Amino acid sequence: GSLRRENGGWVSDNMGAITVPPTIQALLAARLDRLTPSERATLERAAVIGTLFHRGALNELSDDVELGSLTAKQLVQPAPSSFPEDEAFRFRHVLIRDAAYQSVPKATRADLHERYAAWLRRAIGERTAEFEEIIGYHLEQSVRHREQLGPTTERTRALAVQAGELLGAAGRRAFSRDDMPAAIKLLDRAIALLTDQRSARLELLRELSSASWAVGELARAESLLDGLLEAATAVGDRRIEWYALLEREIRRNMTDPNPTGEDLQGVAEGAIRVFEELGDSVGLARAWRSLAWAPRCRGHFAIAEDAVERALHYSRLAGDSQEEARSVDVLCSTLLYGPTPAGEAIRRCRELMERAGENRLMEASIATSLAGFLGME
């Protein structure tokens, strides 16, 4: 099977963690020692880029690129290119790449990671969203190597902000498509980099808490939420403060064996006032969706339907597909158990289905209730 690095060891697709024998390490080091200076420099710079690399990037990082001889020596091989009119190559084995990378001094690694990130930004043009995680990773590595070499400088802090913003954006994108494991990893790394960026860090902490809750890491989710509320209150960020207050009451009702929704209703009403004042459509969508909880608990589904229709309106106004999916989920179950006639509800569900597009969560929520209505008919 293929090999990958994990927690300092090597992991195969079909076996547990293994240790690379010293004889293999020595063999790889000996092969690298037999390379010419230009061949070795090319291989080391390729290793900084990754297992797959492009000639254009190497030309940016090295004055004397030797790929023909490295291919002949079976250290690298041609690969499909991600960029028009540029050749791509890959290491023939990940162990070769790792050995080459380890031979590069940390100061050089830091510089090369930063330079490669700059080249990649230029090469991708407007396709930034596709490469945020990769660019963020290389800037992150540059920061970590610089931190190991001496006191943190303004340059290092600036790179950390860039890396944190990119990884945070990638994490939020993963969160929006409900890929919570990826979101947690990316948001964790972004938060660790944005130590001095209060507003951006608070926003990422909020999403990290929600992602942790979604995968069942309840203790961590609550700890993050408590810290978020304390930090937002301390800096006077009313928006984040009310997001945290609202989320805390939502979670309490979800874990309460006998929920009434009364406390949540009071917090949701307060949140609506604050978010209206701030003009926050996403906050209003969440608050109105939360306001539907109490009447649903009491069986007042018509009242709940009005609240969640407002939530759906604000989620669409904000262009937040995840919040829209959650509003649709609550709306469909409210229609199913409420007084709406089956025929009218079927028409509403089919209207919603036309908007679902590729959102599988929304599609599943609608289909579940639609099945119930068709059964009624």
Side-chain angles (χ1 to χ4, degrees):
S2 61
L3 293 170
R4 65 183 187 278
R5 282 303 294 253
E6 189 170 291
N7 298 326
W10 289 97
V11 175
S12 168
D13 289 340
N14 55 8
M15 65 180 83
I18 60 175
T19 302
V20 180
T23 51
I24 294 181
Q25 293 177 332
L27 176 63
L28 291 171
R31 289 193 70 186
L32 295 182
D33 287 340
R34 290 198 297 270
L35 298 176
T36 67
S38 60
E39 288 174 339
R40 179 148 188 166
T42 299
L43 202 67
E44 289 175 347
R45 279 147 182 75
V48 170
I49 296 171
T51 304
L52 180 108
F53 53 92
H54 290 78
R55 183 185 288 274
L58 282 178
N59 288 334
E60 178 73 15
L61 303 182
S62 179
D63 295 329
D64 189 9
V65 175
E66 288 281 355
L67 285 170
S69 58
L70 291 174
T71 303
K73 293 178 180 179
Q74 297 189 347
L75 293 170
V76 302
Q77 61 189 15
S81 176
S82 300
F83 302 103
E85 301 178 0
D86 197 356
E87 291 180 282
F89 296 81
R90 68 169 59 250
F91 283 87
R92 289 188 66 89
H93 200 289
V94 70
L95 292 178
I96 300 171
R97 183 264 171 185
D98 192 63
Y101 186 80
Q102 292 300 324
S103 69
V104 182
K106 288 183 178 180
T108 305
R109 287 186 218 169
D111 178 63
L112 291 174
H113 278 296
E114 182 185 356
R115 288 169 60 191
Y116 175 66
W119 174 86
L120 186 54
R121 273 181 160 152
R122 294 195 300 272
I124 62 176
E126 298 180 356
R127 299 163 59 193
T128 305
E130 298 176 41
F131 292 88
E132 279 171 340
E133 184 178 347
I134 299 173
I135 299 172
Y137 162 79
H138 284 281
L139 292 175
E140 177 189 34
Q141 293 305 302
S142 181
V143 169
R144 296 308 179 209
H145 288 310
R146 290 170 189 272
E147 289 175 340
Q148 293 170 18
L149 292 168
T152 302
T153 64
E154 286 299 321
R155 178 62 181 163
T156 302
R157 280 189 282 269
L159 289 174
V161 170
Q162 293 179 47
E165 288 175 347
L166 287 164
L167 293 175
R172 297 183 72 179
R173 217 180 314 281
F175 183 86
S176 69
R177 65 175 182 267
D178 287 297
D179 185 354
M180 296 308 173
I184 289 171
K185 290 178 182 178
L186 289 164
L187 292 171
D188 260 330
R189 289 161 59 195
I191 289 166
L193 289 159
L194 295 172
T195 53
D196 298 327
Q197 305 298 307
R198 286 184 176 178
S199 59
R201 198 167 188 270
L202 289 179
E203 188 67 35
L204 297 178
L205 277 169
R206 179 179 67 78
E207 296 206 345
L208 179 58
S209 175
S210 295
S212 299
W213 177 270
V215 299
E217 297 179 4
L218 305 190
R220 188 185 187 211
E222 286 305 286
S223 176
L224 287 166
L225 190 63
D226 290 342
L228 176 65
L229 182 55
E230 181 180 349
T233 304
V235 299
D237 191 327
R238 294 176 68 219
R239 176 177 173 274
I240 296 295
E241 178 186 1
W242 277 92
Y243 268 110
L245 289 169
L246 187 61
E247 186 64 27
R248 185 172 65 181
E249 287 304 321
I250 291 171
R251 294 178 187 179
R252 284 178 179 173
N253 277 267
M254 290 178 68
T255 55
D256 188 341
N258 298 298
T260 64
E262 292 179 3
D263 290 340
L264 177 56
Q265 181 172 342
V267 172
E269 289 171 348
I272 287 171
R273 289 192 292 271
V274 171
F275 292 140
E276 282 180 342
E277 180 184 336
L278 297 175
D280 188 335
S281 296
V282 175
L284 285 168
R286 294 182 182 182
W288 277 107
R289 178 163 57 85
S290 302
L291 200 59
W293 188 283
R296 289 176 72 204
C297 289
R298 295 192 291 268
H300 298 165
F301 291 101
I303 298 173
E305 182 182 341
D306 178 66
V308 78
E309 285 280 15
R310 288 172 179 256
L312 184 58
H313 164 73
Y314 283 113
S315 67
R316 289 174 174 173
L317 190 64
D320 190 318
S321 59
Q322 188 186 54
E323 188 58 41
E324 181 179 356
R326 278 148 179 73
S327 295
V328 166
D329 181 29
V330 177
L331 175 59
C332 287
S333 62
T334 300
L335 289 171
L336 182 62
Y337 295 107
T340 305
E344 181 181 334
I346 288 171
R347 287 191 296 274
R348 184 76 173 101
C349 283
R350 285 178 172 157
E351 289 173 3
L352 293 169
M353 190 69 84
E354 289 178 1
R355 287 185 57 99
E358 297 298 319
N359 192 316
R360 302 304 295 277
L361 176 63
M362 192 185 303
E363 184 181 353
S365 300
I366 298 166
T368 302
S369 292
L370 182 59
F373 295 127
L374 293 172
M376 290 178 189
E377 284 209 324

